[in-house]
Amino acid sequence: MKTIEKFEMPTRDDLRNPSEALKKYLSAVDGGRDDANDTFQFACMLAATEAEEGANDDEQCLNIFQNALPSWTSQFGLNVKIHGYGVYYPTYGPYGVDRGDASSIYWAATGFSDRPRAYEAIALPPDVPTPADSLIDQYSDWSQNAAAAADEETSDSARFSAFVDAMSNALSASGHASAGTSYGYFNSGGSEVYTPDLQDSGMLWNVAPFGSWENHRYQCITVLPR
């Protein structure tokens, strides 16, 4: 499920001793239970720390984050394939909800209490089926249309609920089988940079709208059944 977690930035000692830092983090968030999603979140925190310390420009920060995260996930023993990375400036939210079985979606968004920039990464297990290019294009159209309809609502909660309903209906009516979908919504207060291009991510992922509608942002990720 999409959430944005705000943390104190990890220290240099954490970067030098990541295994100990991970134990402390897991103990704080879930009583020490070895949860792969929490581990992925922590890996994103460390990669984001490297980015914040290494650059100021959004594109440069995203490049550092993208290069650093795979080594952290590998170091922590996570067997995932990272499909997408993002940098953005959330001012409100996010709302997040899952429909169906979204347990194979690793979707982490992290920011720091003294910094405006947030970092996002999405990963899937290696055995999750890759959608056809034509389905990726259809998915983009469905989510853009769902976001356009949702933006007629007058509150954040109503907009998000309308988006989830419209996108869920589009997926059901399409006849394409899906295992589950994660949805997110936030208000943007600045630029947003994602890599790779959504159509090149190798998964059903979209950020709507392509243009600006009062800085409301709708996101969805759908996984196909194994």
Side-chain angles (χ1 to χ4, degrees), residues 83-167:
H83 287 256
Y85 305 82
V87 166
Y88 57 105
Y89 293 80
T91 59
Y92 183 78
Y95 292 95
V97 69
D98 293 336
R99 291 288 183 266
D101 181 7
S103 60
S104 60
I105 299 172
Y106 296 80
W107 188 2
T110 188
F112 302 115
S113 56
D114 60 344
R115 309 289 178 101
R117 189 183 286 117
Y119 294 82
E120 178 173 46
I122 302 161
L124 302 173
D127 61 345
V128 168
T130 300
D133 290 343
S134 59
L135 180 55
I136 292 175
D137 290 339
Q138 286 181 303
Y139 190 83
S140 176
D141 290 340
W142 298 332
S143 57
Q144 296 294 320
N145 291 336
D151 225 59
E152 297 296 321
E153 301 293 338
T154 57
S155 71
D156 290 311
S157 59
R159 280 188 284 269
F160 180 54
S161 179
F163 175 69
V164 172
D165 288 345
M167 190 62 189

Side-chain angles (χ1 to χ4, degrees), residues 60-79:
Q60 292 175 335
C61 286
L62 180 59
N63 186 58
I64 294 172
F65 180 65
Q66 179 184 6
N67 289 331
L69 183 55
S71 65
W72 286 117
T73 57
S74 177
Q75 184 168 337
F76 293 143
L78 291 174
N79 183 26

Side-chain angles (χ1 to χ4, degrees), residues 143-226:
S143 57
Q144 296 294 320
N145 291 336
D151 225 59
E152 297 296 321
E153 301 293 338
T154 57
S155 71
D156 290 311
S157 59
R159 280 188 284 269
F160 180 54
S161 179
F163 175 69
V164 172
D165 288 345
M167 190 62 189
S168 296
N169 290 338
L171 287 168
S172 296
S174 72
H176 292 283
S178 64
T181 301
S182 280
Y183 296 94
Y185 171 91
F186 67 96
N187 289 338
S188 175
S191 63
E192 298 146 39
V193 187
Y194 294 95
T195 190
D197 290 339
L198 300 181
Q199 280 76 8
D200 297 329
S201 67
M203 65 176 172
L204 300 177
W205 169 38
N206 206 252
V207 182
F210 289 135
S212 178
W213 299 336
E214 301 296 329
N215 296 319
H216 308 143
R217 293 293 178 267
Y218 304 84
Q219 291 181 285
C220 48
I221 304 160
T222 296
V223 287
L224 300 176
R226 289 180 172 88

Side-chain angles (χ1 to χ4, degrees), residues 41-60:
Q41 175 78 66
F42 188 72
C44 287
M45 287 173 57
L46 296 181
T49 299
E50 291 190 46
E52 285 293 300
E53 291 187 341
N56 291 313
D57 174 81
D58 289 338
E59 294 278 2
Q60 292 175 335

